[in-house]
Amino acid sequence: MNSRRPDDAPILQIEDLSVSFSTATGQVKAAENVCFKLYKGETLALVGETGCGKSVVASSIMQLLPNNAHIQGRAIYAGRDLLSLSEKEMSRIRGSEIAIVFQNPSLALNPIMRVSEQIAEMLQVRKGYPAAQSLELAGEMLHRLGLQGDDKMRMYPFQFSGGMNQRVMIAASMILSPRIIIADEPSKGLDGALAAEVMAEMARIKNQVGASLLLITHDLNLARNISDRMAVMYCGEIMEIGESEEIFSLPRHPYTAALLRCLPERGFQPIPGPSPSMIKPPAGCKFHPRCPNISEVCRRKPKMTRVEGRGTAPAGSESEIREVKCWRY
Amino acid sequence: MLAILKAVDVGRVYESGLIFKKRYAALEGISLEMEAGKTVGLMGPSGSGKTTLGKILAGLERPTSGRIFFAGKEIGSMSGRETAIFRRAVQMVFQDPEGSLNPRKSIGQSISEVLSMLKIPGRRWQEMTGEMLEKVGLSDELLCRYPGQISGGQCQRVALGRVLLLQPQAIILDEPTSALDISVQAQILNLLKDLQRDLGLAYLLISHQPEVIRFMAHDTIILVQSRTS
Amino acid sequence: MRHNLRNLAFVLFLSILILGTACQGGEESSKVVLKIGTPNVVKSASILGDSNMGVWTHLSNPTLMKMTEDGKIAGLTAKSSEVSEDGKVWKFVINDDLYWSDGQKLTPDDVQFTFSYLRDNLPSAGWMKSTIENISVEDNAVVFRLSKPYSRLNLEFATYPIQSRHIWEKVDKPMEHTNEGEIVGFGPFYITKTDLDAAVIYLEKNPYWKGQAPKFDALEIHTFSNMDVLSLALEKGEVDAYYKYAGTYPYASIQKLKDTDNFDFVETDNIGLIFLGMNLQKEPMSDKEFRKALSYAINYSEILKLDGLGYGQVPNAGFVPPSMMDFKETEKLEYNLTQAKSILEAAGYKDSNGNGILEDKSGKDMKLAFLTRNDYMRTTELVSEYMKALGIDSEIKTVDSSTWIKQKDAGEYDITVTRSTPWGMLMHANWGTGYFDSRRTGEGVLHVLDDPVFLKLCDDILSSTSDDQLKDYAYQLQDYYAENLPAIALYWNKVETPYNKAWKGWYSDPLYGIFNVDNFLSVEKEQ
Amino acid sequence: MSLTAKRASRYIIALVIIFTLNFVIPRAMPGDPLTNLLGEDVILTDSSVIELRSEMGLDRPLFEQYLDYWHGILHLDLGYSFHRHSPVAEIIFARMKWTLLLAVPSLLTGGILGTILGALAGWRSANSCQKASTAFFLAIYCTPPYFLCLLALYLFSFKLDIFPLKGFYDTGSAADIALHLFLPVLVMTLFSLSRNYMIMRGSVLQEKSSLYAAFARAKGLYDAEILFRHVFKNALLPIITLLAMDFGFILSGALFVEIVFSMNGMGNLIYDALLSRDYPVLQGSFLIITLMVVSANLLADILYSRLDPRVRWH
Amino acid sequence: MIPDATLCASPEIMPEAAECPDENKRQCCKREYSRTERISMSLCSAREVLRMQKMSLVGLLLFLSFVLMAVFSEELAPFDPWMRFEPYLLPGSEHLLGTNDMGNDILSELIYSTRISLFVGFAAALMATLIGTIVGLLAGYYKGMTDEILMGITDIFLMIPQIPLIIVIASFLRPSFWIVALLMGALWWTSTARVVRSRTLQVREMGFVQASRALGFSDLHIIFTDVLPNTCHVIAPKFLLSIASAMIAEASISFLGLGDPTMKSWGTMINFAFTRGGFINGYWWWYLTPGLCITLFVLCVVLMGFAWEEQERTNQRLE
């Protein structure tokens, strides 16, 4: 685990990001007023249940959303708003500045291209390296991720297991030493142990290249193990953000608390009530229909509020140390 | 107490290739017993034959070696009627909750086709469906919806409810919650526990999550990676 | 990108290949060439095996006799012919100024060889085996001794091209002998090349031809597998004239050519005709009254107008068209539905259940099997409609010609529309008898008539050698047709052969149309 | 190994069955090969009919003929055509070269241009230029082939007088042949192109939405780079099998082009043979076409496995 | 050149190897998306679908008007198409498209011909779809030997030179529209069979089929209520495309003179226009209009088929 340096200016700053899609049944609000900062070298986990909009956030940063998505807000990277870049400009940022690791690695790799070529391709296209050299570098990268040997270089994705493909994806994302890596549910489809192993390697390399990691996952334990900070999303909104350990030990938002109670080690206590609709979310605090300590005020929209935590960061530093979107604070 | 379902030294070998046969042992020498009101947990890495074992126990696949007993009788030597009773008494619930319902059938249709298969007179359908929905904690407004329109948790409840209509004695649960969010997982696991308590069901719970097994199972079997020969 | 470029390069390479070869020019020539376009496609360069190829050799290998414009038989390779009193000995005196294109002289020996060769080897000349006993050369003549009287040998001999002994005696399987190169001939032109790929047959002047000199240098026969394209080629001037064996230029396309003002037409009365064939062996067609009624039910002038586009005339009951020798004016066929109905009524065909369809003698609704080929579809439609008006239902079965022949031979039909060709009309005992005599078989032949009166008439004609007697038989025959209606002529049509006005001097005989020696000696290009 | 063996055995079984069908079908047809052999108004005597039948081997038991047929195939002897008075193999090879000259350039240009244009159209489906070309090729795709042939002939050869009306050549020079072949090849190319265009477009549209294409974009590849580095080859895979199947269609399907342009190729040969019940030629040409289709399929299989490592591996 | 392959030619034709053969691989191939992703993906193609639907709407309207034309021929046609006027009349106020060689009103003929032409298309497509679906379902559902044999047969049918065979058999049996339709159906089921098979292979491994099997439903019940409804969406576009190819083939066969000239269809109209001087005299209203009708009808069917396939592709992304 990497200790963050909160004094640094954020490398990526998401401001008021809202994404919605229009469908036949209505406007789906996939993300609403999402704000967070990603600092250099840190790992920020964006956690939440299926359908809470965490992947949409990642895709909109990369401008990988379909062009019919309505995106508002800003994603400031190196002084530029990524959301306003043209496709051509964006393609220069993708991969070399900001890389993304998809879920479903076995589908995300080109099935009829050798894995080594898929990694080396980046060097050839973006850096203009000759084929031999780039293949060599790709091999090195694979080696670092525990896939050594010439035979591995000549393999195709279908010959690899999901875990191995995930490593290939990670290698392809990291080959150009990007400054930010976004990992979108990288553990999905992998066994618990394997997921941990892959993530550990990912974290290691991330540290080696000095990149920041935005980890998007529904796996709370994974997030806890890897991330420095954690943002909990519910129904398109960030409910709580703070240091991972702290959130685990002292969840402030009722949703975070309820979610944690569902964990096996905490006794599988289910959250009452059904998940909210993304098209017509509850007014006010979106969690209020399921919240155990609901009050009248919850029908209005709460604001993100800074609360004092027991965090390691010096008080008053610029980072959001612990913010909760709940009227109780 | 007599085991509802008993497996003795069960193995399963797959063969592939027309001329040059490749043999692949998915399962070797497994024995277990399932008793009413008890849960057997089954763990193991992927590819260790957990699902295969589940299918063999549910009578969906035949073992290549070993024997399976249902209520003390070996299933291979059963008469047609007995087999039918066995097939009905031992049911299986699958991993993918949304996939286990036909997307082109409404929930109501999916339920009523089971009732019609059981040759239950139409007048009792409504009553039975109602009872069943109550058992699994669903409201009847769901009946006219399609699987795509309900959540994964609800799907899994419907799948479970359909199985319950057959009044089984034992249910093989193949990773029933692994595709679900943790909040839903908690709901389903609790529901399963309640049902076991109320109906005295025997479970074989297949899962890769030790916490789930720990939470549910009375006995645990751990499979190791099987070998290719 | 790499694939893209490679693909692009490949395309470029191909197009360069095609274009590069396209830059060489063709040679100019001042030869006057007559180009004939035809739909009679040659399938193989076998002059004895391929029937169309056989037609083209009529110019290079003229027949022994020819048919003149007025249908008489005259000598061509033979100077003259005579037949013995009993009709069993024929003598043909051969011209002695004919030379093969390789310089050798044509001798009676060649003629003798040709016919004994054909008799022994050619399946379609099988009749010779049973008819010709002996062929001998006497001075400059060839003598045929027959086993039975056959008065029409000279006509038969207007259809067999003479082949050279010195070429063919080395060939044992004449049907299988193909030759795409030069074919030695003794006519004014001989075939120099048969190019099946270009679909052209080339003929050049025979350097040893001693007769009247042709007025142009070479002849090309262009074959087209699509009639429309042939018409376009005419209009465009790619070919100068049209020829189809036993056929006319499509009437519907004539006006278009006339409009161009570049074309004239050789118009001749066809010896062949379109007729309604009937299965005389089966009810109800075996009933003369029924046939008679049918003949009144047909609107001849409408068929002539719609199918023949007016190029012809309403036929007589006597079947034989006026262009044939010894034509007798029988009663004109008439469209009279009331009369048709009353004849039927009188013959006992009634519609007792009132559904508009007559019942046959057993009381069932009558439904005739109307066998037809695509070419005669419109006529079939019309006839079927006329029959319907008479209360006779029919089921139209359209088949291809192979199937037609098969089903016709098996008698699996009641009624059919077909045509007769000039040669078909002339063959056997002339005047169309070959189509009806039940003792014969052949592709277009109906062979349904076994009436002894008719058969005797045929035999009499075959053994008659006197012109007057022949005329008498011909009249009897036409009366027989008119009385018994073994077939109903639908219309007597005209053969229209378009030619470019730049060429003149066209001449056509009833048998082979413009494809005869005299025509190609007379045709010349206007300067 | 076992996969190849399996495929090969499948092909062999298919060949045997097709060859047998090939023997049976013409014989099951009504009409006699003797009909149409001699001309419309020729009279045959019964004895010469019998003679001809025995010469053509038609009088022997069917099974014997069948054995003979196989014997012939195995000795590369396709029999003798009594209608064309030559050995069938000779006729077919004479015709085949022309049909190939017609078909191969059409297939190649159609295949190459079709896939490239189709890929672009699928990739940039929103573009109005692509829309127009899609509409154009769709229209061609929906037109009966002979109709297009005749219209092309009427317009280019007759009205505009650019190309000759018929045949493979007049003088026989390469330029002349190229001139004659241009229009037929163009029409056939258009057909082949439009089909490949449509298929490739669909294929690319499908592949476009695949995750690996999205990942390629995420990796920073730009537009055409994604198309030609990743999507194109994947989208091409299904086309290869189709091209192989096309091959047989083109060979026999040149029929319309050949009839309209009066070209003596395989299509016309088959059509004629059919109308005249020329069994040996029918059999021979079906046989050759089947062989070519099967070998094209085999070739496609091989090519496929070269392009798709997944096939090789399993 | 041959229309069928054009249409049978959809990308679904892939060798088996593309499908994952063993359990593990299949899992790797299975696409799993979270709900939001499904939504966002469905949206991403929403615009595309909308555009496609606009085209398919045009197709549908055209299609319906052709169907209406076939149903209400009597009412729509100005004359009885068998009624004879002067032959070869040029288009005029009385006869909008003139008259043909028989003096039939061409417009009426055109309208009446819709019936037979559509009938042939539908009958052939129905037949092809029926056979193809059954073969595909059985092969895909039972796998193993059944699959081997059925796909072997499919291969054979694929490799037979089809158009010549149709011509052979069409001339063998006497040409009637029924025969032509049935023949084309009997020959062109292969592509449908392949598509249905590969889809069935997918569906049979889906949870609900397994669940149905576990619940004890019979194979027949599963095939017809679980598998078939979930393959319908790949069958339907195939059906439409088969209609299109059957119509083109019918026209082609008629052109060769092997159709049924006693019935009025667009193909026979063109055939007569060509054999009776319509083409050579430049009576375009006689040969071009039925040609256009064929092209237009095939076009609208193909448009609908494509739109359907497109939507299918979108849906597949969601599944």
Side-chain angles (χ1 to χ4, degrees), chain A:
Chain A
M1 210 182 301
N2 179 46
S3 65
R4 65 189 173 86
R5 279 149 292 179
D7 308 328
D8 297 338
I11 189 164
L12 179 70
Q13 192 169 344
I14 307 296
E15 291 173 4
D16 259 343
L17 178 71
S18 297
V19 182
S20 64
F21 304 99
S22 30
T23 61
T25 43
Q27 195 85 356
V28 174
K29 298 177 183 103
E32 258 187 286
N33 303 326
V34 171
C35 298
F36 64 85
K37 291 170 184 144
L38 182 67
Y39 295 96
K40 187 163 186 279
E42 79 161 346
T43 299
L44 171 67
L46 206 52
V47 298
E49 292 190 276
T50 309
C52 71
K54 51 195 193 300
S55 288
V56 170
V57 171
S59 297
S60 44
I61 295 169
M62 292 294 275
Q63 269 201 38
L64 285 176
L65 281 179
N67 32 16
N68 67 324
H70 314 294
I71 310 172
Q72 283 172 332
R74 296 194 297 167
I76 312 265
Y77 168 79
R80 288 200 289 178
D81 180 9
L82 293 178
L83 301 182
S84 65
L85 293 185
S86 73
E87 175 66 20
K88 187 132 207 177
E89 288 168 316
M90 197 61 211
S91 72
R92 283 200 208 97
I93 302 239
R94 292 192 201 120
S96 31
E97 306 275 321
I98 306 176
I100 187 164
V101 175
F102 282 2
Q103 55 178 316
N104 283 320
S106 304
L107 284 178
L109 292 172
N110 187 343
I112 58 170
M113 205 169 167
R114 292 181 205 282
V115 289
S116 53
E117 282 170 11
Q118 298 197 44
I119 301 168
E121 179 185 31
M122 305 294 302
L123 292 167
Q124 291 167 33
V125 175
R126 282 282 157 264
K127 294 241 164 93
Y129 284 16
Q133 192 190 352
S134 45
L135 274 175
E136 203 173 298
L137 284 168
E140 234 169 74
M141 197 70 193
L142 278 176
H143 186 92
R144 277 161 73 183
L145 279 157
L147 294 172
Q148 50 273 80
D150 280 350
D151 57 323
K152 295 275 191 305
M153 294 278 290
R154 276 201 303 276
M155 293 268 204
Y156 290 92
F158 69 93
Q159 292 167 299
F160 278 173
S161 66
M164 285 154 106
N165 277 332
Q166 191 60 280
R167 286 170 220 224
V168 174
M169 281 259 277
I170 293 168
S173 315
M174 298 213 174
I175 191 89
L176 292 177
S177 309
R179 297 179 62 198
I180 301 174
I181 298 161
I182 301 175
D184 188 359
E185 300 273 17
S187 64
K188 203 159 183 179
L190 303 182
D191 275 5
L194 197 61
E197 201 182 310
V198 170
M199 286 317 297
E201 270 158 23
M202 181 162 182
R204 196 163 44 88
I205 300 203
K206 173 216 123 193
N207 289 343
Q208 281 175 16
V209 298
S212 311
L213 176 64
L214 178 62
L215 173 68
I216 289 161
T217 183
H218 70 283
D219 188 338
L220 293 175
N221 283 320
L222 179 82
R224 178 189 194 175
N225 291 340
I226 294 208
S227 64
D228 303 305
R229 289 189 306 127
M230 193 186 275
V232 182
M233 275 186 86
Y234 179 75
C235 199
E237 284 184 69
I238 291 182
M239 290 303 194
E240 183 169 10
I241 192 165
E243 293 207 352
S244 306
E245 273 313 316
E246 224 175 272
I247 285 185
F248 259 74
S249 54
L250 185 63
R252 295 288 173 100
H253 196 285
Y255 171 68
T256 317
L259 191 62
L260 288 174
R261 276 197 297 278
C262 294
L263 282 175
E265 56 273 28
R266 301 191 186 191
F268 291 115
Q269 294 171 42
I271 306 175
S275 317
S277 149
M278 298 293 280
I279 294 169
K280 275 172 85 179
C285 172
K286 284 181 177 166
F287 188 61
H288 84 259
R290 304 170 82 181
C291 189
N293 27 27
I294 181 179
S295 64
E296 201 43 44
V297 72
C298 295
R299 298 197 186 283
R300 282 186 289 126
K301 219 164 189 67
K303 286 228 159 48
M304 211 58 167
T305 320
R306 169 96 55 95
V307 289
E308 287 307 314
R310 296 168 305 181
T312 47
S317 68
E318 224 220 289
S319 71
E320 62 279 71
I321 295 182
R322 188 72 184 264
E323 285 181 322
V324 183
K325 199 181 250 183
C326 182
W327 285 113
R328 285 167 63 200
Y329 303 97

Side-chain angles (χ1 to χ4, degrees), chain A residues 48-51 190-192 218 220-221 259 262-265 267-273 290, chain B residues 44-46 50 151 154 178-187 189-190 208-209 211-212 215:
Chain A
E49 292 190 276
T50 309
L190 303 182
D191 275 5
H218 70 283
L220 293 175
N221 283 320
L259 191 62
C262 294
L263 282 175
E265 56 273 28
F268 291 115
Q269 294 171 42
I271 306 175
R290 304 170 82 181
Chain B
S46 61
K50 292 180 303 222
S151 73
Q154 286 170 319
S178 66
L180 301 172
D181 278 317
I182 50 166
S183 63
V184 186
Q185 177 181 22
Q187 292 169 354
L189 290 179
N190 284 302
H208 66 266
Q209 284 172 281
E211 301 89 350
V212 172
F215 179 70

Side-chain angles (χ1 to χ4, degrees), chain C residues 133-144:
Chain C
E133 255 171 9
N134 171 275
I135 311 170
S136 57
V137 177
E138 292 175 8
D139 301 328
N140 61 343
V142 185
V143 176
F144 294 82

Side-chain angles (χ1 to χ4, degrees), chain D residues 70-137:
Chain D
W70 272 106
H71 185 264
I73 291 176
L74 298 176
H75 290 80
L76 296 175
D77 173 12
L78 301 180
Y80 183 85
S81 164
F82 287 88
H83 287 259
R84 294 185 178 274
H85 316 286
S86 318
V88 172
E90 219 171 81
I91 302 169
I92 289 178
F93 291 123
R95 297 301 191 90
M96 185 62 87
K97 66 171 192 255
W98 289 108
T99 298
L100 287 180
L101 197 63
L102 179 69
V104 171
S106 320
L107 260 182
L108 280 178
T109 8
I112 293 165
L113 280 180
T115 44
I116 293 176
L117 293 178
L120 286 172
W123 191 246
R124 301 179 182 141
S125 48
N127 182 321
S128 65
C129 162
Q130 309 296 356
K131 271 188 204 157
S133 71
T134 303
F136 174 71
F137 288 118

